[in-house]
Amino acid sequence: MFTFVIPAYNEEENIATIVRQACAAAQPGDRVVVVDSASSDATARRAVAAGAEVLRGPRGKGAAMAVAIAGSTSPWLCFLDADLVSADVNVPATLRKAAASGTADHIVGDYEYADVGTILSSTFTIYEPLVAEFFPEVGALGANSLTGYRAIRRRYLVGGLPTHFGVESHLNISIAVAGGTAAVCQLGVIASRFRYKPDMCREIAGSLLDLAVAHHRLDPGDRPSWNSWVDGGAAAIAAVTATTGRSAALARLFAAVRRPMPSRASRTSLPAAPEPAPA
């Protein structure tokens, strides 16, 4: 059984699209759950009209996801973005099929953006350099490794989640270090509503660095240097939003990627991961 989870904040214009896809993908025993993350619009009402259960949740993507996890007992949870406008495929059905037909514990939905000018600035400026430095065992999870479309075996959804947009970074790492396997599922071309989130890159980095400290990959005394490194990348990302020239924007980001990383006083190895809880 699967629980399709759609965290949503003020998505009244688009919520019905992904809910209808999830309802079409659902099989007997599955649930389609929208967690209304303190919306001020008609998101909840339109989600119900489209066929979803609605749970009330606090503000914050990770916080909303945690509400759904706590309220579900299904072996798989499939997380979906609420801002889907159109897609080449039924996204939840494709993720469900990949999870049910394979052996991986974590199915990561990769896709191309309908807007060919999309730049995944936080992904390659912040996330990819940090994960390569501290958690190389995560490996390649597609070009869109921080995707909001993913299916995860419930037994790997233990412990707390970041309350914010650092949740995908946290999931990629925590599942890998717990011994979970991952597979990338291609979803074709997806169109979605874009909203600039100025704190997203810091939330992504903060979640990753928190895990690095918790798993003894980063000495706490070195953390301020890494925070400063993140600040430099965040400044480059913010500058891109104010730049009209595509070439200039890319040049700023590539320069940020090439910045030297801080030295690390400690490079201790990760202790053996505990066995995940039984399903």
Side-chain angles (χ1 to χ4, degrees):
M1 292 190 298
F2 280 67
T3 298
F4 297 100
V5 178
I6 308 164
Y9 170 70
N10 286 351
E11 290 292 351
E12 64 180 5
E13 296 300 321
N14 298 303
I15 189 65
T17 302
I18 190 62
V19 168
R20 289 175 183 141
Q21 280 206 356
C23 289
Q27 298 183 13
D30 291 349
R31 297 171 63 199
V32 177
V33 176
V34 168
V35 183
D36 183 25
S37 188
S39 296
S40 59
D41 65 3
T43 294
R45 179 170 56 82
R46 295 188 181 183
V48 169
E53 302 175 45
V54 173
L55 302 177
R56 299 291 180 177
R59 184 74 183 274
K61 185 174 186 180
M65 291 167 67
V67 168
I69 294 168
S72 171
T73 58
S74 61
W76 283 91
L77 284 87
C78 181
F79 297 101
L80 305 164
D81 280 343
D83 60 357
L84 180 72
V85 174
S86 65
D88 285 347
V89 299
N90 180 307
V91 173
T94 304
L95 290 168
R96 191 189 198 288
K97 181 179 179 181
S101 63
T103 60
D105 305 301
H106 183 195
I107 307 298
V108 180
D110 197 15
Y111 59 92
E112 298 178 40
Y113 285 81
D115 178 0
V116 296
T118 300
I119 301 173
L120 298 175
S121 53
S122 293
T123 300
F124 78 82
T125 305
I126 300 291
Y127 170 79
E128 289 180 351
L130 289 178
V131 81
E133 175 73 9
F134 292 104
F135 296 100
E137 68 268 48
V138 171
L141 296 178
N144 192 14
S145 52
L146 296 178
T147 174
Y149 300 107
R150 59 184 70 222
I152 304 170
R153 291 188 197 272
R154 181 182 174 77
R155 66 175 178 265
Y156 288 95
L157 293 168
V158 295
L161 293 179
T163 60
H164 44 61
F165 286 107
V167 64
E168 282 90 5
S169 174
H170 176 94
L171 288 170
N172 289 349
I173 294 164
S174 62
I175 293 169
V177 299
T181 57
V184 177
C185 175
Q186 298 299 329
L187 302 174
V189 177
I190 286 179
S192 57
R193 182 175 75 146
F194 173 77
R195 284 190 288 186
Y196 174 58
K197 305 172 183 73
D199 293 327
M200 178 182 282
C201 62
R202 287 191 171 88
E203 292 171 353
I204 290 166
S207 295
L208 195 154
L209 293 174
D210 285 347
L211 286 171
V213 171
H215 289 295
H216 311 292
R217 308 266 178 116
L218 173 63
D219 189 294
D222 291 343
R223 180 70 180 265
S225 296
W226 288 92
N227 290 342
S228 295
W229 183 87
V230 170
D231 288 342
I237 292 169
V240 167
T241 65
T243 302
T244 57
R246 183 66 59 185
S247 296
L250 289 171
R252 287 178 183 271
L253 292 176
F254 288 138
V257 171
R258 291 194 297 268
R259 291 175 301 132
M261 286 185 153
S263 60
R264 289 166 60 186
S266 174
R267 290 179 178 265
T268 55
S269 60
L270 178 69
E275 290 294 322

